[in-house]
Amino acid sequence: MNQVEFLEIVSPFKDKLYRLAKRILISNDEAEDAVQEVYLKLWKAKTNIKNYGNVEAFAMTMTKNFCLDRLKSKQASNLKLVHTNFPTSGNIERNLEANEGVAMVLKILEDLPEQERIVIQLRDVEQLEFSEIAKILDSNETAIRVALSRARKKVRNLMIKKYNYGIG
């Protein structure tokens, strides 16, 4: 396999890998490094790449594992979850309220268990199918659905509690 063939296979999902890495690692630089490392590993295994049923799912799994390993390393003790992909428009008051809401959700997401954060990222942000998420996380679809449901319920309940200032 030459470089052109390799790039034709792996380029279409480069942005997905980056977004997943950024969701887990926070830092743009760390996420770029993670994607670069995954691409390097894929390049080294290029002779076997066509044997994988779903190269994208395999690459997403590699990215997730690399990022989680990176977080576990002592060098990465200061990394945390952030999200800056919120579109802004129009009314200043509406934008301010929306930004506060997004900040609140992001704070809540930081407190979720890692598995639930990743499931929300893959399903709600990346819009992957449950079967793809199950392959990436090496789990079954039922467990993914349960984790997603629990994570959404936690986020919803905490948002309601915060918007009601703890009343209700």
Side-chain angles (χ1 to χ4, degrees):
M1 172 180 292
N2 64 30
Q3 183 179 2
V4 174
E5 292 171 329
F6 175 79
L7 289 175
E8 285 175 359
I9 293 171
V10 299
S11 290
F13 48 85
K14 178 182 176 190
D15 291 340
K16 281 186 178 181
L17 297 180
Y18 174 77
R19 286 191 302 267
L20 176 62
K22 185 157 185 337
R23 171 64 67 182
I24 297 171
L25 297 174
I26 309 317
S27 163
N28 289 330
D29 294 336
E30 290 284 336
E32 288 171 3
D33 289 348
V35 172
Q36 186 174 7
E37 285 295 322
V38 169
Y39 267 38
L40 182 61
K41 289 178 182 180
L42 286 171
W43 176 253
K44 288 179 180 177
K46 68 183 179 241
T47 56
N48 298 327
I49 206 164
K50 290 186 179 183
N51 296 336
Y52 301 123
N54 185 341
V55 178
E56 181 178 348
F58 181 67
M60 293 286 278
T61 302
M62 288 176 65
T63 303
K64 175 202 67 148
N65 290 339
F66 179 84
C67 292
L68 294 178
D69 289 346
R70 184 79 181 105
L71 283 177
K72 291 175 188 172
S73 74
K74 292 182 179 166
Q75 298 172 324
S77 61
N78 62 343
L79 297 177
K80 63 174 191 151
L81 177 69
V82 257
H83 186 303
T84 57
N85 295 337
F86 187 77
T88 59
S89 63
N91 187 329
I92 293 174
E93 291 174 6
R94 184 180 292 161
N95 285 343
L96 182 59
E97 186 176 323
N99 287 338
E100 289 174 357
V102 169
M104 200 178 304
V105 169
L106 293 175
K107 177 65 179 134
I108 290 169
L109 289 175
E110 285 178 5
D111 297 333
L112 288 178
E114 196 169 276
Q115 182 80 4
E116 291 177 355
R117 279 195 318 243
I118 292 172
V119 169
I120 284 179
Q121 169 72 24
L122 294 175
R123 180 65 183 168
D124 294 338
V125 178
E126 301 298 334
Q127 298 181 346
L128 296 179
E129 296 297 323
F130 288 107
S131 59
E132 294 173 305
I133 298 170
K135 286 180 187 174
I136 291 168
L137 298 180
D138 193 29
S139 185
N140 63 51
E141 289 185 42
T142 304
I144 299 300
R145 290 178 192 275
V146 168
L148 181 63
S149 175
R150 286 180 181 162
R152 286 176 176 167
K153 186 175 182 178
K154 284 180 190 176
V155 171
R156 181 179 57 245
N157 289 341
L158 289 170
M159 286 295 292
I160 290 169
K161 185 176 179 181
K162 289 186 185 253
Y163 271 114
N164 291 333
Y165 303 102
I167 300 171

